[in-house]
Structures are given as structure tokens and as C-alpha cells.
Amino acid sequence: MRPSAWCLVLLLFCVTLLGFPALMAGDEGSDFLDRKEQDVEKIVDQVVGNAGRQCELLAACDNPTSCSHDACSMEDTGGSVCMDVINNMLCTTYGTTDTPCKNINFDFGVSYVRNAESTNLNSVDTMLAICSQKPLEALFKTLSNATVLSRAYFGSITGSYRIYPGLPKHPDDCRKFDPRIRPWYRTSTSVAKNVVVLIDLAASMGNNLPPDLGAGTILEAAKKIAKELLTTLSAQDYVNIIVYDSSRVIQLSRSAVLVKEHNGTEAAELNFLRTELDKQTVEGQSRQSNISAAILAALPNFESNPQAAKVVIVITDGVFANFGNVSLPTIELSSSRVKVFIFKVKQPQDNDIFLKNNTLIQELCSVGGHFEPILKNLENPLLAFRQYFSYLASLKRILTNGRPQYSQVYEDTDATFGGNIITVAKPVFVEGALIGVAGITIYIEALGRITDQVKQALGSRMTGYSLAAPDVVLNAANCSLVSETLQPCGSSTAYYAQNGGMCKLRADSRKDTIQELLCCGNCSAPASSDDDKHQLSQGVIGGIVVGGIVGGVVGIGLLVFLVRWIKHNREGPFPGPFPGQDD
């Protein structure tokens, strides 16, 4: 082969080498998202495995190595890494008083746990959720690193939330975060739905709660539950509230109210329902509440979106059953395919907690309904109503064939650094019951050169909410009844964690201000060394160094070859044969 031919081959090779990354760029976004989906599946598998060992892990939870770090503790664990962000709103650029800086400390030492305001650390269910999922920390450390910012998490049905890398929160607002009302949780666990909440106004609903369930009246508890349920609704859902007794059936809104996007806040369009609900009082005399009439009044509300899931939630004390057998409009419910949940708040003296002596249970079961007495976790209604959320999540699982789902791109409401984010998440079930949502948060602006490719790839993935629900036949086969009281791990005191499984506060490592924990890099006075920025840039610097060496070698080799080729053209035959060249 002539030298000129070898030069042409080398030139084509260089062009191909230089163009290969551009050819592959279109797939980088899809490959990135594929890896994240696989990572989410790993988290789901780990959560299920941990749940299978929950009693064992709870028993060991008081061990200092098994407790979980409280995001609200203001403690410095020593694992902070300074990273670039869009804006650190809690720190200012060094030398200024009002310019947000571009760095923040993430804790890559341990996972952090936040608990919602309604989460009760004395609840065994909460302890199980916290203690059993501590082993996720080791997996999280393999999925998130300081090169490209993403955060792995698990949001429990109890309201506890484990995330890595950690970010400290000020105690004043730390517990205002509830994972169960965040967009990623709702996207993963729900479908478009029409929900009608029925609240019993029988005279007995004015009785005080049993001491083990809390303070206040049963009706006050029912109102609180209904308001909590409103926060879990998503855009395009419809909702209404009906109150009823022996003679009254009052629909608080003339028609079902359409929910708008509220990003985890209280939707303003539902304020009317909240206000009207507060006005409701119990019936003056002890009579049998007409639950059948209330259910019939609910049915027209489902015309708002016939393709949505149709759900009736009844909150009652069940005293109506003491007056005799109760009939339900089973024909109408069956033809409308409405799922009915009856939650019974027990009375202080309740001789038939499970309504075993009433035909209501049989009729409810014939239309695939659910009955459950609320015997615990009343202070945490979203946990007490787990079966309702499990049903919705199972519908979503049918629609998605069990694949992880993407939220819409939205602005992070975290006042710390904000920015546009998207989450890929998947609901986690154990024995058919929803126990939470596993996922990964992706910070769009932190993706660097693949940002556009990832955005393009997201267009072909399922995102957001579905306006239709799967068509499910409701009959005795999918009826569910809670007919006995069971403790998850038995009654032994060995299955109890001090402080709910959260680590005890170490006073010597506690900081006085959140800025001491979060400010780094250009957010604070120059340090004595460049350690902070070095921690962030190790991977990047390593890539630059390796790339520089390889590029330099290739460049020198090409230069030497060109010099020899020029010399050949000027002076005669090319010195020495090429491999394979004829002599």
C-alpha cells in the first residue's frame, strides 16, 4: 500500500474517531435514563428484601450503627462534599450581602431521614419503616456520587423519607415536608380519579375519641382525615364531600370540583370544601344514618370524568349498624364500577368493632369494597388509609406495566437551591399493600453536556398523570376486609426502637446555624486549602488529565507521521515498508 493510501486511511480513522461522540450523543440521554430506571429497580428490590426482615432490623435498631440520621438535627456528620448548584439561597457569595452563591454542602457520609408532621415516631409502623430501610444506605452510596448530582430516596407510606446524599434542614420547617403529597409520589401511585368522601353526622359522631386514638370528637377526627385526603389529589382529579345522617344528605359542592396542579400545596380551589366542612355539626337525636342514600347521592359526581377511577370513601363510627341490618345500592354500584371504602372510627365502648353481625359487610364485599376499623395511626390519616392508596397504586401499576414513572419537570420547591428537577420513581408493594415509593431525583441543570439529550429522551417516556384509569371489574374476588387486630412483629417490647429509630442527638457536633452546615466554596471565607473544590472535582480533573494525555500522544504521533510524509513527497521513496506493503 502506497504512503498516500496510508495517509488517507489514517485521516479517515481520525475523522471517524472525532465524529463518533457526536454520532453517539443522540443515545446518551436514553442510556442515562435507562441506567436511572435500572437503579430505581435496584432500590425497589432492596426495599422489598428489607421489609422481609423488618422485625429483625427493628430489634437491632437501637444499636448506634443501625439508627438513622435525622435531617432536622443540625448535626455535622463529617461527610460533607462541596458541590456546584444553581443557587444556594441560604448562603451569600463571599464578599457580598445579598448575592446567592453557587456552592452547597451535601453529606455523602450517611443517608438522611425526614419525618412529616403527622408521622408519629412512637408508632410501630413508623419504627418499622425507618429501621427496616436503614440498609438502603449502602446501596444509595453506589448510586449517587459527587460527579453528577442525583439523589436516591425512599418515601414511606408512614411519611418518613430517606434520601442520599443528605442535606441538613432547619428544625423550624424540616417536618413540613411530606413525601406522600409530593408530585413524584402522586405520579407513581395514582391515576385520574373521581373521589367522593362521605362523612357520617350521626349524634354518636359527637362523642370523644377513645384515649388510645387521640383527643377531640370523632367528627373532628373525620374532618381532619378528609382535609388530609384533599392534599393527595392531583391535577385533573375531581372531588366532592357529602355529609349525611338519618334524614339529611348534603353535598358540599353542587358538582365535583376539578383539582388543579398544586405541587404539594393545598389547592386553593378546594378551600370552599374545607370551609363548608368546618360548618357541619352532628344530628340532634340518635338515629340510624342512611348510608345508602348518601352513596346514591355520590354517583352523579362520577359523570365529571367517566374514564377516571370512581371511589367513595365513607368515614363513620359504625353506630348505624346497631339499629339493624343495612342495605347498600349494590346494583347501582356494580353497574357504575365504583370502589367503596368504609373506614370505621371506633367508639370508646365498641362491642362490634368489625361489624361482623351486620349484612353490610357481605353486601360491601359483593361489589369489591373494603371495610376497615381505624384502631391506630389516626393522627397519621394517610397511613391509616393505606388500603385506599394501595388500590390507586395498583391501578397505576396496571397502566404502566410495572415500569418506573417520570414526574413532569418541575421547579424544586426546596428553598435551599431550587432548579428544575425530574424524578423517576416506582411504587413498592409487599403482599399487595403499598409501602412507599422508591426513586431518584435528577437535577436537570447539573447534567452538563448531556442536558439536551436527556430532555429529548424524556419526550418518549411516560410522564405525568393519566386521564384514564384501567377498567377493573369489582366483585367478591377483589373484596378486602380487616376483621382482626394484628401487631406486625408481635407484642414483645424487643420490637420497639428508642426515638423511633432515629439517632440520638450528639451535642458536640451540633451547629447553631444552618449556614455552618451548608455554606462552602464561594459561599464562605476562603479556606486554608482548596479541599472543598478538590472533593467536587476529582472525577472531572481525572477525566481531563487522562483525556489530555491521550490527546497529546495522538497529536504527536500524527505530527511525526505528517512530517515523514512531507519528507517522502520531497525526497523520494518513503523510508521503510508499511506493514503489509509490497517490497
Side-chain angles (χ1 to χ4, degrees), residues 361-380:
I361 299 301
Q362 289 72 35
E363 295 203 5
L364 179 65
C365 206
S366 71
V367 291
H370 174 81
F371 171 80
E372 181 175 357
I374 299 178
L375 305 177
K376 59 179 180 177
N377 297 316
L378 187 60
E379 77 288 340
N380 190 354

Side-chain angles (χ1 to χ4, degrees), residues 76-323:
D76 184 357
T77 70
S80 294
V81 174
C82 191
M83 297 191 68
D84 292 336
V85 293
I86 300 302
N87 281 308
N88 179 348
M89 298 298 187
L90 295 179
C91 306
T92 56
T93 301
Y94 179 64
T96 71
T97 59
D98 58 359
T99 304
C101 68
K102 305 293 185 180
N103 299 121
I104 197 168
N105 270 331
F106 282 93
D107 193 337
F108 283 84
V110 295
S111 60
Y112 279 35
V113 171
R114 296 176 72 175
N115 294 298
E117 287 181 312
S118 62
T119 301
N120 180 7
L121 290 177
N122 292 318
S123 164
V124 174
D125 295 282
T126 300
M127 296 178 195
L128 286 169
I130 293 173
C131 295
S132 68
Q133 299 308 329
K134 168 68 174 182
L136 281 175
E137 193 170 283
L139 174 62
F140 284 175
K141 289 181 178 180
T142 69
L143 303 181
S144 299
N145 56 64
T147 304
V148 177
L149 179 60
S150 64
R151 303 174 77 191
Y153 62 81
F154 175 65
S156 168
I157 188 70
T158 66
S160 66
Y161 175 67
R162 183 179 299 276
I163 188 167
Y164 178 90
L167 197 66
K169 298 295 176 182
H170 195 281
D172 288 349
D173 58 10
C174 186
R175 297 196 69 184
K176 293 178 181 179
F177 178 90
D178 191 330
R180 299 166 296 186
I181 64 175
R182 300 300 303 145
W184 51 266
Y185 195 102
R186 290 182 282 122
T187 298
S188 302
T189 60
S190 190
V191 294
K193 53 193 175 294
N194 294 346
V195 180
V196 182
V197 181
L198 309 184
I199 298 180
D200 192 347
L201 293 182
S204 55
M205 292 285 287
N207 294 341
N208 287 328
L209 288 164
D212 60 323
L213 284 184
T217 67
I218 298 174
L219 179 58
E220 288 170 344
K223 291 179 178 180
K224 177 184 176 182
I225 291 170
K227 291 177 183 178
E228 289 271 355
L229 289 173
L230 294 181
T231 66
T232 67
L233 299 173
S234 299
Q236 305 305 313
D237 288 343
Y238 285 87
V239 65
N240 210 339
I241 298 176
I242 293 176
V243 295
Y244 68 98
D245 55 28
S246 64
S247 59
R248 299 178 297 171
V249 175
I250 304 172
Q251 188 165 275
L252 299 190
S253 175
R254 291 183 179 180
S255 59
V257 180
L258 175 64
V259 180
K260 301 176 183 178
E261 183 55 67
H262 55 90
N263 202 23
T265 61
E266 292 191 348
E269 63 273 15
L270 303 180
N271 285 341
F272 175 78
L273 289 177
R274 298 185 184 98
T275 301
E276 291 301 305
L277 180 58
D278 285 336
K279 298 176 183 178
Q280 305 307 312
T281 58
V282 299
E283 187 175 17
Q285 300 181 36
S286 181
R287 296 174 178 171
Q288 185 177 42
S289 294
N290 193 341
I291 186 174
S292 182
I295 289 175
L296 286 172
L299 297 182
N301 286 276
F302 300 127
E303 297 172 4
S304 301
N305 181 3
Q307 293 182 306
K310 306 173 183 68
V311 179
V312 167
I313 299 174
V314 181
I315 307 174
T316 178
D317 62 357
V319 170
F320 63 84
N322 296 342
F323 292 88

Side-chain angles (χ1 to χ4, degrees), residues 36-37 40-41 43-44 153-157 161 179-193 232-235 237 261 388-408 410 422-429 433-441 462-466 470:
K36 294 306 175 184
E37 289 183 26
V40 170
E41 296 286 4
I43 301 173
V44 171
Y153 62 81
F154 175 65
S156 168
I157 188 70
Y161 175 67
R180 299 166 296 186
I181 64 175
R182 300 300 303 145
W184 51 266
Y185 195 102
R186 290 182 282 122
T187 298
S188 302
T189 60
S190 190
V191 294
K193 53 193 175 294
T232 67
L233 299 173
S234 299
D237 288 343
E261 183 55 67
Y388 160 68
F389 295 107
S390 294
Y391 172 69
L392 296 177
S394 68
L395 296 181
K396 188 57 175 279
R397 182 166 58 173
I398 294 172
L399 279 180
T400 63
N401 293 318
R403 288 194 60 181
Q405 292 299 292
Y406 293 84
S407 69
Q408 299 284 1
Y410 63 97
I422 191 167
T423 61
V424 53
K426 182 176 178 178
V428 186
F429 297 84
L434 177 72
I435 66 169
V437 172
I440 292 178
T441 297
M462 287 187 67
T463 59
Y465 309 109
S466 168

Side-chain angles (χ1 to χ4, degrees), residues 336-376:
S336 301
R337 299 195 174 181
V338 177
K339 181 77 172 183
V340 179
F341 293 85
I342 298 180
F343 292 97
K344 177 181 181 291
V345 183
K346 70 174 182 177
Q347 286 281 343
Q349 302 297 325
D350 201 326
N351 298 321
D352 191 13
I353 292 176
F354 301 102
L355 299 186
K356 293 181 178 180
N357 301 319
N358 199 288
T359 56
L360 170 70
I361 299 301
Q362 289 72 35
E363 295 203 5
L364 179 65
C365 206
S366 71
V367 291
H370 174 81
F371 171 80
E372 181 175 357
I374 299 178
L375 305 177
K376 59 179 180 177

